[in-house]
Amino acid sequence: MWQQTLITLRARPRGFHLVTDELLAGLPELRACRVGLLHLWLQHTSASLTINENADPAVRRDFERFFNRLIPQGADGYEHNDEGLDDLPAHFKASVLGCQLSLPISAGRLALGTWQGVYLGEHRDHGGARKVLATVHGEGA
């Protein structure tokens, strides 16, 4: 079984956002997969995908604070700022975290740990809607 779907995530403000449910809503075929993999590819260079804590929103706020300290906006020496002061720092953050995830599927569900969820890291002040190419590969029920 191979299935590929382009999912458009709604626009979000800068920060880290739990998007697991929004992704799953765009993948009803996942329920028919007994065992397999879901590959997610974010088609943007100023946002990222990662897996982390899905319960306490403070973790997502702390992620934003940490990455803003690690890669500050408006630091001297950046040449690329065609789209504003948040442009190059957004690219750096996206490269550090990455734009893809491979997640196991078991019995028609993502086999995430109890406290795991998929984060979208929105690294632009006004990034807009984001597109994720989702590929399901596995065996049906």
Side-chain angles (χ1 to χ4, degrees):
M1 164 183 174
W2 284 93
Q3 178 75 31
Q4 196 166 70
T5 305
L6 185 63
I7 299 169
T8 301
L9 300 175
R10 64 180 171 79
R12 290 174 164 80
R14 183 170 161 169
F16 286 83
H17 307 278
L18 194 58
V19 295
T20 313
D21 290 342
E22 191 173 354
L23 290 166
L24 291 175
L27 295 167
E29 64 274 9
L30 191 132
R31 290 187 291 272
C33 186
R34 185 180 62 76
V35 63
L37 288 172
L38 169 63
H39 184 262
L40 300 172
W41 179 266
L42 182 66
Q43 296 182 320
H44 301 275
T45 61
S46 57
S48 61
L49 293 174
T50 192
I51 300 288
N52 218 292
E53 161 91 37
N54 69 358
D56 185 354
V59 175
R60 295 187 296 279
R61 293 189 299 270
D62 287 339
F63 258 66
E64 178 66 7
R65 281 189 285 275
F66 172 80
F67 277 96
N68 287 338
R69 281 193 311 269
L70 182 67
I71 304 169
Q73 184 170 306
D76 290 337
Y78 294 158
E79 182 178 345
H80 178 78
N81 62 2
D82 296 346
E83 298 176 24
L85 291 178
D86 67 339
D87 194 9
L88 190 60
H91 294 306
F92 288 157
K93 292 171 186 177
S95 288
V96 167
L97 287 163
C99 66
Q100 65 180 320
L101 298 172
S102 288
L103 307 170
I105 302 167
S106 182
R109 301 171 50 113
L110 291 181
L112 296 172
T114 302
W115 306 110
Q116 290 181 319
V118 179
Y119 286 12
L120 170 72
E122 177 53 70
H123 306 305
R124 297 299 309 271
D125 291 332
H126 306 286
R130 299 299 192 167
K131 295 187 183 308
V132 177
L133 186 63
T135 304
V136 176
H137 176 224
E139 295 179 12

